[in-house]
Amino acid sequence: MNPQSASPLLRLSQATLARVRDGVAVPAYDRDATRIGIVHFGPGAFHRAHQAAYIDDLLGTDPAWAISAVSLHSAGVRDALRPQDGLYTLALPGDARADASASDGAPRLRVIGSIRELLCARDEAAAVLARLADRDVRLVTLTITEKGYCLSADGVDLQHPDIVHDLAAPEAPASAPLSAPLSTIGWLVAGLRLRRARGFEPYTVLSCDNLADNGGRLRRAVLQFARELERDRADQGLADWIESEVAFPRSMVDSITPATDDALRAQVASRLGVEDAWPIQREPYAQWVVEDDFRNGRPPLERAGVVLSNEIAGYDRAKLRLLNAPHSTLAYLGSLMRIETVADAMREPALAGFVERLMREDIVPTLQLPRGFDPDAYIDAILARFRNPAIRHLLAQIAWDGSQKIPVRLLGTIADALAAGRPLERLCLPVAGWLRFVRRQAREGVAIVDPLADTLARIGAATTGEASHDVDAFLTLDSVFGALAGDARFVDALARAHARLGDATPAAVARALAD
Ligand code: CS2
């Protein structure tokens, strides 16, 4: 055995960057000359695959926007990437521009350098607060997933334990830090409060999560939180200051990002020649549309291909309803059919045909599309992306957090269809699919990944398989169904969809799709 091949690889870092093999792109700018101008909450795979890559593209022209990446609770990303000086590899499977020196079909690889600092708020609270109060930081961005916002229907969920904790922080003078918040909203307000006390300009807060009107919803939640906070405090006027001074632009983000697996880690190590503890992969396609509402400067996003638009509402809704809703549809109905990935689900003619009809016939009529937006071309492109065989996107990953995703992806369309007197038959099938999926998980004792996991497991275990009984049990989930639970047309259509799925075996689901 060759002793050299057995020796462990060196770890990717600033010091080993020069050893990265040809054919892998590395940052072309001087990382040491960059300054941290963005604090990002939630440096999961999506942020590292999407926003951090856009910022990497523009740091060469404007070095003021490097990223401090903050996780709230889990130290995993920090512990993996701090020894790598924030560097990591982004793989783009199925990219037509794949590197010719790599073996056939191998993904294009690039090392991303835009993350200059990694923090975990749980054990580095002082450093996080100092960063938020740093004058050079002019933008705070978020990818914390739907549940990370602790939202209520039109503000913040005052019953959420993290919000209760953050509002109960002991009285502190305006210039003193609050005790370490647990929620992202708590952190945003703690940072703004300190900046105001110091006479600094606020940062702009940019939500990059899959929520319609993400900026507007976050703004209302932050303002409500700040008003609650200042009730018993010396720092009066904080909420008014936030209301008049802080911008919360809306944004639409899009790029399919399957979770990292061992195959990717091994492939990256062999192509790089150094070890990367946490490479990331995403499809080659990426889009970022941002409302151009920044108060105190912004990165030159357009230089990295970001679309700055005032018609964001049309874009975010089209994306949520035409990409994310079909994704969730494939996730629940495909999982019931024991299919594993999106591309495999798209190879099932019944499922692929159903999703396409859902998009073209049921969802498009509910949309108010931006000028020049061609829904057919958009749908064609999405279906092609779903079919991409180079992307192994697990349906199980998309099925997570159904209680958060179903309302923004499907129930808004259903409410609009109801208002317009349009049919609900197809639209209710994925919702019924979620009910059946939860029932199956509960009965098989498989963990449900969802902030409402305990409640869902309880409801799922008590289901009988009988349509109206099970639908009634799920409709008690007020935060999911809201007013729709009281609409007889919806309740009936959901029960019919549930009944159509029969015993929800793969064969029964296939029959329901063909009906
Ligand atoms: C997916 C999204 O996991 C999911 O729920 O629907 O992450 C989807 O891949 C992205 O929004 C695509 O931009």
Side-chain angles (χ1 to χ4, degrees), residues 192-273:
L192 288 168
R193 179 176 174 275
L194 208 52
R195 292 175 82 101
R196 174 171 176 252
R198 291 182 179 171
F200 290 178
E201 289 169 329
Y203 36 72
T204 289
V205 183
L206 177 61
S207 164
C208 304
D209 277 292
N210 283 325
L211 287 164
D213 186 20
N214 49 14
R217 295 197 70 184
L218 177 57
R219 178 173 192 272
R220 290 191 287 280
V222 165
L223 285 176
Q224 188 186 357
F225 181 96
R227 290 202 200 288
E228 288 291 324
L229 189 72
E230 69 179 24
R231 233 184 256 272
D232 324 306
R233 286 177 180 282
D235 47 350
Q236 295 297 313
L238 176 64
D240 286 346
W241 181 76
I242 294 176
E243 185 159 27
S244 65
E245 302 299 322
V246 182
F248 293 85
R250 293 185 273 189
S251 80
M252 184 277 264
V253 293
D254 190 6
S255 192
I256 291 172
T257 307
T260 299
D261 52 21
D262 288 343
L264 178 70
R265 275 182 232 273
Q267 190 176 43
V268 165
S270 85
R271 294 261 311 274
L272 254 62

Side-chain angles (χ1 to χ4, degrees), residues 46 50 146 210 252-258 283 285 287 319-320 323-328 331 385-386 393-395 397-400 405 409:
F46 184 72
H50 186 268
E146 300 86 344
N210 283 325
M252 184 277 264
V253 293
D254 190 6
S255 192
I256 291 172
T257 307
E283 62 174 340
Y285 176 93
Q287 193 181 28
K319 191 261 170 171
L320 275 165
L323 188 148
N324 295 110
H327 243 179
S328 292
R385 290 166 63 195
F386 285 179
H393 196 189
L394 296 179
L395 295 177
Q397 183 187 337
I398 302 168
W400 287 358
K405 292 176 177 175
R409 297 179 176 200

